[in-house]
Amino acid sequence: MSLQPVKFYQTGTFTVGNRLLAPEERSVQANMQRTNSLNSGHRACQGCGEALGARYAIDAAMNATNRQLIAANATGCLEVFSTPYPETSWQIPWIHSLFGNAAAVATGIAAAIKVKKQKGQGGDVRVVAQGGDGGTTDIGFGCLSGMFERNDDVLYICYDNGGYMNTGVQRSSATPPAARTATTMPLGPEPGNVFGQGKFVPAIAMAHEIPYVATATVADLRDLEYKVTKAMGIRGARYIHILVPCPLGWGTASHDTIRMARLAKETGIFPVFEAEYGEVKSVLAIRRPLPVEEYLRPQKRYAHLFGKSPAVATIARIQALADKNIRKYRLQARQGGH
Amino acid sequence: MDKPFAITLKPGSSLANHTGSWRTTRPEYVDRLPPCNAACPAGENIQGWLFHAESGDYEKAWHALVENNPLPAIMGRVCYHPCEGGCNRQHMDSAVGINSVERFLGDEANKHGWKFAPAAAASGRRVLVIGSGPAGLSAAYHLTRMGHKAVIYEEAPLAGGMMRFGIPKYRLPREVLDTEIQRLLDFGVELHLETKVTDVQQTMKDGFDAVFLGVGAHIAKRAYIPAGDANKVLDAVSVLRGMEDHDAPLLGRRVVVYGGGNTAIDVARTAKRLGAEESIIVYRRTRDKMPAHDFEVEEALQEGISIKWLSTITEAGMGERGDDIMVEKMALDENGFPQPTGEFERMEADSVVLALGQDADLSLLENVPGLVVDKGMIEIDAGMMTGHPGVFAGGDMAGNERTVTVAVGHGKKAARAIDAWLRGEKYAPLPKPELATFDRMNPWYYSDAPKTMRPVLDIIRRQSTFEEVLGGLDETNALFEARRCMSCGNCFECDNCYGVCPDNAVIKLGPGKRFQFNYDYCKGCGICATECPCGAIRIVAEEN
Ligand SMILES: Cc1cc2nc3c(=O)[nH]c(=O)nc-3n(C[C@H](O)[C@H](O)[C@H](O)COP(=O)(O)OP(=O)(O)OC[C@H]3O[C@@H](n4cnc5c(N)ncnc54)[C@H](O)[C@@H]3O)c2cc1C
Ligand SMILES: Cc1ncc(C[n+]2csc(CCOP(=O)(O)OP(=O)(O)O)c2C)c(N)n1
Ligand code: SF4
Ligand code: SF4
Ligand SMILES: [Mg+2]
C-alpha cells in the first residue's frame, strides 16, 4: 500500500476557509469578524479585482497590526469608487491627497507617528500606502523610489490592473505587450501595446534592496495574506505588487476575475514570489502548467490576436516572455509544491 | 455637528448605496444531486454521510448512512458500487473509495455496537414480509422506522437469503451478516424462521394489513445437456447453499463450471478453495461479453481459475467412469451471437456445475387475483405494488438487475409506498434536484490525492482458505479516503463565496449554518458561483 500523508484536507489551503482546519489555520477572510476594511456599497464595477484585492490586503494588514493602521491612497479607481464625498466604504483611517504622492503622504504620516511616539503620545500605529499601477509605476514613481531609498516605515501596495482604468483604460508602464488600450495603436500590423517597453516595478523595488518585496494575485488568498502579514512584521520600506484583473479594461466576464488571475500565474505571465533585501526567497510554483493562449483568449484586449488568422508570432513572443519568467523565477511545477 | 473648516457635509458610509440595484443576474444557493447518490440503487445519500466522515465523526456518518441502508458492513463488502462509477472525482484522479469507507463505517458500528435511532411512534399496523433476503430486511427495517410492525416469514433455517446461501464467505464473513441482522431484530423486526408461505392470501389473514414479497429467485435454470451420469451435473445455487451445511459438497479434483455470471465465478473460486486442482469456467462468449464484473474475473484468474472462452458443453458424464465432457468451440457471428463451429474437444471433469441463472418460485402467489407475471418476473408499478392492491414486491423476483443493493433499494421504496398505502394515499417520490455534473464544479480547489488501495490478502492464502479476500481501511486511511470527496453540488462550508465577493455581499451564518446572500449589495458579478468548488451556487436571471 502506498504511503499517504496523514494530514490531508479535502481542499487543503486552496479555499478561503475549511471547516476541517483549526480556526487559527484559516484565512483572515474566513473569519466572521474580519474588518471588512472596504465595505459594501462601493461603486466598483461588477467583479472588480481591485476592490477584492484591497479588502484582502487591508483586512490582513489590520489583522496583523491589531487594527492600528492608517492608509494613504493615490487617485484611481480604488479611491474614486470607495469614497465619493461625503460617503466612504473605508472602515479604517484613510486619506487621499493626489494621484502621484501616496508614498510621500504615507512617509509623512509615518514620520508624524514616530515623532508622537517619541513624545510619548499615541501607540504603535502602522502605515500603508496604496495605489493603482498608473499611480505607482508612472506618476507616483518618484515619491515611491524616494520612500524606498529612505527606507521609510511604510508598506506600499500596488494594485496592478495593467492600465489607467479609472479614466477609461489608457496605457500605463504596466500595460502588458500586445494588450489593447484606449491609447495604444488601434489598427495596423501590430495593434495594442508595444513589446520591450514598460516596467516591472517589483524588480525595481528589489534593486533598492529594501527589506521586503513581494508579488501576489487575488487568486491565491493564502499567499497574499501570508505576504501582507509578513510585511507588517517588518520595519522599513516594503512593497507588495498585487495583480488585480479588471473586467472592464481587460474585456473579461465579471465572474472570471479570479480565474484570470489564476491563469496569469499558472501560465507564467505573472511571477509570484517574495524577496528580501533584493534576493528572491521563495516563489509560488505553477500547479497546472498551461500555454499563454489560455490566459489571452478570454480577454477582449487581446481579441486581435485571435482573429481569422491567429497572430501566431505575437502569441509566441508572449509565450517566450512567460517562459523567461518561468526560467528566471524557477516557477516550474513541482511535486508537492507550495 | 460642528464641521471643520470648508467641510459642508457629514461623513457617511457607503452602506447607504444599495448597489444590489445594478444586478441583472442573481446568485442562489442550491443543493444539487451528487452523481454518486444518483447512481446508488439503494438511494444512499453518500455525499451526506461522507460529510460527517470527513470530520472524523464516524458515528454521525453511520447514522446518516443507515437512514437509507441498514446494512453498510455487508454493502461495504458485496456491493458492486455503481456510485464509484458515477463519482466526479474520476475526472480528477480516481473515484472516491466510497465502498471502502462504507465498510469501515459498518465495521465501526459493529465494533462499537451502535444502534439505530429510535423508530417513530407505533402505528398499530402490521405488515407481512416474506423472505429475509436484503429486499425483505430492508423493507422490514424501513417499515419499523415508520412505526409499523414488520413480521418476516422465512422458509430457511437462517436469515439473509442469497447473502447467506449464495455469496461465499471469502467475500462476506458470516459474523458480519449475523451482526447486521441481529441489529435489525433488536430494533423490533420480528423474524420467524423455517416458516414457508405457501398461500399469501391465507397467511395475510393472520392479521396483516399489507404484504411485501421478497422471495428472491432460487430455482436454478437448467440447460439441456445429455448426460450419461446425471449425478455429475450439479447447479451452482445448490453447491453454494451446500457450503452452509456441515459437510461441504464433493466436487472432485477437476471441476468445470458452465456459465459467465458472477455466480459462475463464485462457484469456481469456491471449488478451488475446496481443494480442486483445476477449476475451469466454460463460457459461450468472449470476456467483454461476460456478465461477471471485470474485477471478479481478474481475481479469479489471479487465483488460478482458467476460463475457456467461446465454448459450450454439449454432453456430460461421458466415458466409463462418467467423468468426461464434450465441449464445442463457438464463433461469434456478425451480431455478436455465438454460433456452433462443429469443432469438438473432450475434457475430463469430475463434476459439472451449471451456473446459468435462477428463476423465481412464485407458487405462493398462485391464486392471488390481479397479479401479472411476465417472463417469470412479477410485474410491479412505480410504487412497487403488484396488480393486487396491498401486495408489494421487490428484489430478485421483481427485476432484471439482481443485486443486494437493488434489493435494498426496492425494500426501502416499497416500505414508503406501503406506508402511504396504509394511510390511504398514493406514494409519490420527491422530485430529484438537478445533477451535480463535473462541469459545474471548480476542481482547482481540491488537493491532489490518489485513491487509497485496499490491502489485498496474500494470494496464496486466499486460494486455500475462506478468509476474506479484501481487507478494510483503518482510521487514518478511511479519513483520507472520505476527505477525497468533493462534496459535489452541496455546500461544504469552505468559505470561498464569503471570501471572494468583492462587495462583501455574502453573509457567513456560522459553522453548520452555511451562508446567505445580501441582495442589497450583491451586484451579480457571479464570482462566487465560478469559484464555488462544488457547484452549490447557481446564477439566475433577475426579473427586471
Ligand atoms: C452466488 C451469488 C453471488 C452473489 N453475489 C452478489 C454480490 O457480490 N453483490 C450483490 O450485490 N449481489 C450478489 N448476488 C445477488 C444477490 O444475492 C441477490 O440479488 C439478492 O440477494 C436478492 O435479494 P432478495 O431479497 O430479492 O432475495 P434473496 O436474497 O434470494 O432472499 C429471498 C429469501 O426469501 C426466502 N423465501 C423464498 N420463498 C419463500 C417462501 N415461500 N416463504 C418464506 N420465505 C421464502 C428465501 O429462503 C430467501 O431467504 C449474488 C447472487 C448469487 C447467487
Ligand atoms: C495629476 C493627475 N493626473 C491625472 C488624473 C486623472 N486620473 C485619475 S485616476 C487616473 C488613472 C488611475 O490609474 P491607476 O493608477 O492605474 O489606477 P486604476 O484606476 O487603474 O485603478 C487618472 C489618469 C489625476 N487625478 N491627477
Ligand atoms: S474599471 Fe476596473 S479597476 Fe476600476 S472599478 Fe471597474 S473593474 Fe475595478
Ligand atoms: S466526489 Fe464525493 S460527492 Fe462527488 S461523486 Fe464522488 S463521492 Fe459523490
Ligand atoms: Mg490601473
Side-chain angles (χ1 to χ4, degrees):
Chain A
M1 205 179 79
S2 62
L3 201 71
Q4 302 295 353
V6 180
K7 264 201 174 174
F8 169 76
Y9 302 103
Q10 210 161 25
T11 58
T13 49
F14 294 113
T15 46
V16 169
N18 186 332
R19 71 185 175 100
L20 304 173
L21 291 178
E24 65 275 11
E25 289 175 313
R26 300 180 196 176
S27 71
V28 175
Q29 285 303 311
N31 195 324
M32 288 170 80
Q33 274 79 47
R34 72 185 186 205
T35 325
N36 273 334
S37 310
L38 181 66
N39 207 2
S40 310
H42 61 69
R43 289 151 163 87
C45 302
Q46 290 155 319
C48 174
E50 189 164 86
L52 182 61
R55 196 190 73 229
Y56 280 179
I58 303 302
D59 277 4
M62 284 289 277
N63 186 64
T65 57
N66 209 13
R67 306 198 173 194
Q68 299 300 301
L69 191 75
I70 297 175
N73 211 126
T75 312
C77 273
L78 184 60
E79 169 259 324
V80 172
F81 72 56
S82 68
T83 316
Y85 175 74
E87 277 169 17
T88 186
S89 310
W90 292 102
Q91 308 211 72
I92 62 164
W94 179 92
I95 183 173
H96 165 246
S97 167
L98 292 173
F99 191 13
N101 67 356
V105 171
T107 293
I109 297 168
I113 290 167
K114 192 172 163 190
V115 170
K116 282 182 82 176
K117 258 172 57 182
Q118 278 166 358
K119 288 186 177 170
Q121 300 165 352
D124 192 13
V125 178
R126 308 295 303 278
V127 186
V128 294
Q130 50 182 357
D133 51 294
T136 305
T137 72
D138 293 341
I139 189 168
F141 189 69
C143 292
L144 181 67
S145 179
M147 184 204 107
F148 288 163
E149 189 270 328
R150 293 185 303 270
N151 199 25
D152 293 326
D153 189 18
V154 173
L155 167 63
Y156 191 102
I157 302 172
C158 169
Y159 302 103
D160 176 6
N161 54 17
Y164 291 84
M165 299 314 186
N166 189 58
T167 40
V169 197
Q170 292 84 18
R171 178 196 177 275
S172 81
S173 58
T175 300
R180 250 176 168 159
T181 66
T183 50
T184 46
M185 209 48 91
L187 296 165
E190 289 205 313
N193 194 23
V194 289
F195 279 79
Q197 279 173 243
K199 325 173 184 167
F200 188 52
V201 170
I204 303 174
M206 281 169 67
H208 288 73
E209 306 230 331
I210 56 173
Y212 191 67
V213 173
T215 63
T217 81
V218 286
D220 281 288
L221 171 66
R222 296 305 194 108
D223 175 70
L224 191 158
E225 288 188 350
Y226 153 76
K227 285 167 177 169
V228 171
T229 306
K230 182 164 177 181
M232 292 321 291
I234 298 171
R235 296 283 166 172
R238 290 142 288 147
Y239 180 75
I240 298 183
H241 190 102
I242 305 176
L243 184 72
V244 291
C246 165
L248 180 90
W250 296 18
T252 47
S254 64
H255 59 82
D256 271 343
T257 298
I258 291 180
R259 187 176 151 240
M260 293 318 302
R262 184 178 301 130
L263 287 168
K265 182 228 153 194
E266 293 294 280
T267 52
I269 289 269
F270 186 80
V272 181
F273 63 90
E274 60 176 345
E276 291 169 25
Y277 297 100
E279 260 180 87
V280 174
K281 288 291 179 190
S282 81
V283 303
L284 208 53
I286 290 170
R287 186 169 169 228
R288 311 237 189 273
L290 289 167
V292 293
E293 279 101 312
E294 300 285 328
Y295 169 72
L296 302 173
R297 199 184 288 273
Q299 305 184 42
K300 288 210 186 73
R301 62 177 174 161
Y302 295 115
H304 55 283
L305 303 181
F306 300 98
K308 274 203 197 79
S309 49
V312 185
T314 310
I315 296 169
R317 284 181 83 180
I318 297 172
Q319 183 67 58
L321 291 175
D323 291 345
K324 187 174 161 194
N325 278 338
I326 294 171
R327 271 199 316 276
K328 186 168 167 189
Y329 295 98
R330 300 172 195 279
L331 305 175
Q332 292 90 337
R334 35 183 177 256
Q335 281 289 301
H338 196 76
Chain B
M1 184 177 114
D2 244 357
K3 298 183 189 75
F5 174 70
I7 302 291
T8 52
L9 294 170
K10 276 203 284 185
S13 160
S14 64
L15 289 177
N17 186 28
H18 284 189
T19 50
S21 62
W22 304 8
R23 206 169 50 236
T24 55
T25 56
R26 71 158 60 202
E28 285 175 359
Y29 289 107
V30 288
D31 281 292
R32 294 193 167 116
L33 179 65
C36 51
N37 297 11
C40 175
E44 282 187 20
N45 181 2
I46 295 160
Q47 176 277 326
W49 58 256
L50 279 172
F51 181 86
H52 297 297
E54 283 149 27
S55 51
D57 193 342
Y58 304 122
E59 190 167 355
K60 213 167 181 180
W62 180 82
H63 277 288
L65 198 168
V66 298
E67 271 180 36
N68 290 297
N69 185 345
L71 310 171
I74 296 172
M75 303 308 293
R77 290 174 164 82
V78 306
C79 181
Y80 299 118
H81 43 75
C83 54
E84 294 183 22
C87 175
N88 275 333
R89 179 109 205 176
Q90 69 190 291
H91 307 300
M92 297 254 302
D93 34 43
S94 56
V96 174
I98 299 168
N99 189 241
S100 58
V101 181
E102 178 166 33
R103 168 170 165 181
F104 171 77
L105 293 177
D107 288 352
E108 282 290 291
N110 291 352
K111 197 161 86 192
H112 301 293
W114 294 337
K115 301 257 170 289
F116 296 129
S123 67
R125 313 301 290 269
R126 284 164 57 84
V127 182
L128 171 64
V129 174
I130 307 176
S132 66
L137 291 173
S138 165
Y141 165 70
H142 286 283
L143 287 165
T144 308
R145 267 172 62 99
M146 294 181 239
H148 309 304
K149 184 74 203 166
V151 182
I152 304 180
Y153 283 8
E154 167 59 58
E155 170 184 1
L158 289 167
M162 276 300 182
M163 299 188 293
R164 185 181 302 275
F165 297 107
I167 303 175
K169 282 187 187 128
Y170 59 83
R171 294 204 287 120
L172 178 59
R174 297 305 184 244
E175 315 79 76
V176 174
L177 180 62
D178 292 339
T179 309
E180 290 205 320
I181 291 176
Q182 189 56 48
R183 183 184 287 114
L184 288 165
L185 302 184
D186 295 345
F187 187 51
V189 172
E190 199 174 306
L191 173 67
H192 298 266
L193 294 170
E194 297 181 307
T195 310
K196 180 170 179 159
V197 177
T198 46
D199 181 339
V200 169
Q201 281 185 305
Q202 193 56 42
T203 312
M204 281 284 283
K205 290 185 184 138
D206 297 349
F208 292 109
D209 300 303
V211 59
F212 174 75
L213 303 163
V215 299
H218 292 213
I219 309 170
K221 284 188 184 149
R222 310 278 307 195
Y224 178 71
I225 299 173
D229 181 351
N231 292 333
K232 303 270 179 176
V233 183
L234 309 163
D235 75 75
V237 188
S238 19
V239 169
L240 291 170
R241 175 178 284 257
M243 291 301 298
E244 295 302 306
D245 295 340
H246 277 296
D247 304 309
L250 294 170
L251 300 174
R253 285 187 306 116
R254 209 176 142 96
V255 181
V256 172
V257 178
Y258 191 32
N262 296 312
T263 307
I265 305 272
D266 276 338
V267 175
R269 291 174 77 182
T270 296
K272 191 88 189 172
R273 283 169 171 77
L274 286 175
E277 277 159 27
E278 277 188 84
S279 176
I280 304 160
I281 294 173
V282 172
Y283 177 55
R284 291 184 310 144
R285 304 201 279 178
T286 50
R287 176 156 179 182
D288 52 312
K289 294 259 160 54
M290 203 180 200
H293 291 93
D294 220 39
F295 74 93
E296 285 188 297
V297 177
E298 207 45 60
E299 283 178 4
L301 292 172
Q302 282 167 15
E303 289 170 14
I305 314 283
S306 49
I307 306 182
K308 265 185 120 47
W309 306 106
L310 286 169
S311 306
T312 54
I313 301 179
T314 52
E315 200 177 337
M318 298 164 70
E320 253 167 61
R321 302 205 333 267
D323 49 9
D324 272 6
I325 60 167
M326 191 63 85
V327 169
E328 182 174 7
K329 270 253 135 294
M330 308 295 276
L332 293 186
D333 64 17
E334 62 272 24
N335 299 320
F337 290 111
Q339 300 297 347
T341 58
E343 227 181 281
F344 292 91
E345 182 193 344
R346 202 172 161 130
M347 280 173 67
E348 217 187 299
D350 293 324
S351 56
V352 174
V353 185
L354 304 182
L356 303 168
Q358 293 94 242
D359 289 323
D361 177 0
L362 301 177
S363 57
L364 76 167
L365 299 167
E366 245 149 43
N367 37 34
V368 180
L371 285 192
V372 184
V373 175
D374 184 34
K375 296 195 193 83
M377 224 110 60
I378 194 139
E379 273 193 8
I380 48 171
D381 65 13
M384 315 299 290
M385 193 158 82
T386 65
H388 188 87
V391 176
F392 296 77
D396 280 6
M397 71 182 295
N400 275 321
E401 224 192 308
R402 290 177 167 179
T403 66
V404 174
T405 330
V406 167
V408 167
H410 281 179
K412 175 176 89 170
K413 201 168 169 196
R416 289 178 178 170
I418 291 169
D419 178 64
W421 190 80
L422 289 174
R423 283 184 277 105
E425 291 165 13
K426 187 138 181 73
Y427 169 68
L430 291 170
K432 288 211 191 309
E434 62 179 336
L435 204 60
T437 48
F438 190 63
D439 59 326
R440 294 185 208 270
M441 304 183 50
N442 189 334
W444 168 263
Y445 290 102
Y446 297 100
S447 308
D448 310 291
K451 181 172 173 172
T452 322
M453 294 303 289
R454 282 197 260 187
V456 175
L457 253 193
D458 177 47
I459 192 79
I460 303 298
R461 271 172 81 203
R462 84 178 190 220
Q463 280 171 2
S464 52
T465 76
F466 282 87
E467 247 177 279
E468 199 170 7
V469 173
L470 272 182
L473 302 178
D474 62 27
E475 229 282 3
T476 48
N477 50 25
L479 188 68
F480 177 88
E481 200 51 45
R483 288 180 173 184
R484 293 183 64 242
C485 172
M486 308 192 290
S487 194
C488 305
N490 292 264
C491 172
F492 59 119
E493 295 183 36
C494 73
D495 291 329
N496 254 19
C497 51
Y498 177 58
V500 301
C501 175
D503 292 279
N504 279 340
V506 176
I507 301 163
K508 179 169 171 171
L509 299 173
K513 301 194 194 123
R514 297 186 172 184
F515 308 86
Q516 198 177 300
F517 289 110
N518 184 346
Y519 293 114
D520 281 349
Y521 301 107
C522 165
K523 293 171 186 161
C525 71
I527 296 183
C528 54
T530 303
E531 300 305 325
C532 173
C534 68
I537 300 173
R538 77 162 161 233
I539 298 290
V540 295
E542 202 61 77
E543 298 155 16
N544 296 315

